Every structure is written in C-alpha cells, then in structure tokens.
Amino acid sequence: MTRVAGSLAIVLAAGLVLGGITHLAMVLAMPMLAGNTAFHRHAAALSPGETRLLVAQQDGTDVPFADPAVAMAVCAFDITEGPLRVEAPMPEGFGSLSVHGRDGTVLYSVTDRTAVNGVVTLVVMTRQQHDEALAAGRSDEASQELRFVSPRLQGLVVVRALAPYPSSLPEARERAAAMECMSAND
C-alpha cells in the first residue's frame, strides 16, 4: 500500500511540475504570440514621421487603462534605412519619452529632466549608424541630443505629458502632439 501511495505522490508531483513549467512558458510566450499589440495597431495606422495623439477611451480601443491626467502621443519607427530623430517639447510638470520594441519592451526612457531648453532630442540608431556618425565627426550637434543605440530595428516612441490639473490637460495634449519624428539624415 505504501508503494502505491509513493508512486502516486511521484506522479502527482511530476504532473504539478510539468503543469507549472507549461504555465510559465505560456505566460512568457504571450507577448510574442499576441497579434493585436500596440505596435501592430499603431504602426499600420501611422505613416513615417507621423505623430498620433492617443486618447483614453472608456472602451479601451486606443489606450486601455490610461491615466486621464496624462496626454500621450506615439510615432512608429523603422531604422533600417537610417537613424530616427525625435524632438519632444516637455511640459512644465512631468514629461517622459520612451522607446519601445515591437513586443512592447521598453528599450530606453528619459524624463523631462534631460530636456535642453524644454525639448528632449533623441536620436535612435543602430550600432553601425552610430559608428558612422562618430566617424563623420558630428559632435557639435551631439551635445544637444541624446543618442540611443537600439537593439531593435522597429518599434514605437511614446511621449507622455502629465497635466497636474484638469484645466491644464489641453496644454499637455498640445505638448504631446508636438513631438516630431523624422529621419536624422534630413
């Protein structure tokens, strides 16, 4: 009888371990398997260099679970042909700029504290593009900009502007919508 109970315990433990591993693998694989990601929704709707103001809506179609006091804007990027230059005016209160990969991973993020004269300028580039920029000696403009060597070729840039009061929300939206995404070669 004890031998049957021992065998049953081993089978039960093995089943629990296998089930746990399967559950963990599925949870970790979900971002890669999901088809309706933020990148897919926004990259298809945006032309190169276009910035789109995101609106929090009750049905969650644009930005689910968004803070109504934060204005957000997004632009999609693809740096296979050349670097991306982002210029985002920051609000008086809190503002941030973040670079996300296709899978939603935050690759780089800065706040309004890095702004020079109220504007954050970020150049997103590949390692090769960065090395070419260094070889070309473009250091005079580099003192006013942040350079980020991206491990991903495609993704989204998101700017957020906090409205400390409901009356300042239109200004925060205006600041977020003023983000410019353009080719760094222009």
Side-chain angles (χ1 to χ4, degrees):
M1 188 69 167
T2 58
R3 188 172 185 173
V4 172
S7 296
L8 183 62
I10 290 172
V11 169
L12 184 61
L16 286 173
V17 169
L18 185 60
I21 290 171
T22 303
H23 176 74
L24 183 61
M26 288 306 297
V27 168
L28 294 176
M30 271 310 193
M32 292 181 285
L33 298 175
N36 191 20
T37 65
F39 178 79
H40 290 102
R41 283 193 311 268
H42 298 301
L46 295 169
S47 60
E50 181 184 4
T51 299
R52 178 177 173 212
L53 186 66
L54 301 177
V55 181
Q57 297 178 357
Q58 294 295 347
D59 62 358
T61 54
D62 214 357
V63 183
F65 311 111
D67 185 344
V70 176
M72 292 188 287
V74 64
C75 74
F77 71 87
D78 185 346
I79 56 173
T80 54
E81 299 298 320
L84 173 78
R85 181 182 198 81
V86 180
E87 293 181 1
M90 290 289 120
E92 293 296 320
F94 174 78
S96 70
L97 182 76
S98 56
V99 179
H100 301 259
R102 288 178 62 122
D103 60 353
T105 306
V106 177
L107 303 173
Y108 188 77
S109 180
V110 295
T111 66
D112 57 303
R113 294 193 175 224
T114 59
V116 176
N117 296 324
V119 177
V120 171
T121 304
L122 175 68
V123 178
V124 182
M125 56 182 67
T126 64
R127 170 61 59 195
Q128 180 182 357
Q129 293 163 352
H130 181 261
D131 293 343
E132 290 171 0
L134 287 177
R138 296 186 214 143
S139 60
D140 54 333
E141 60 202 43
S143 63
Q144 301 293 316
E145 67 189 22
L146 300 169
R147 290 184 177 179
F148 169 61
V149 176
S150 176
R152 311 274 167 64
L153 296 175
Q154 295 177 325
L156 297 173
V157 177
V158 179
V159 66
R160 292 174 180 86
L162 176 67
Y165 305 103
S167 61
S168 60
L169 189 57
E171 180 189 348
R173 286 185 177 145
E174 187 177 302
R175 292 269 182 161
M179 174 176 67
E180 292 183 11
C181 297
M182 61 202 110
S183 170
N185 298 330
D186 293 342

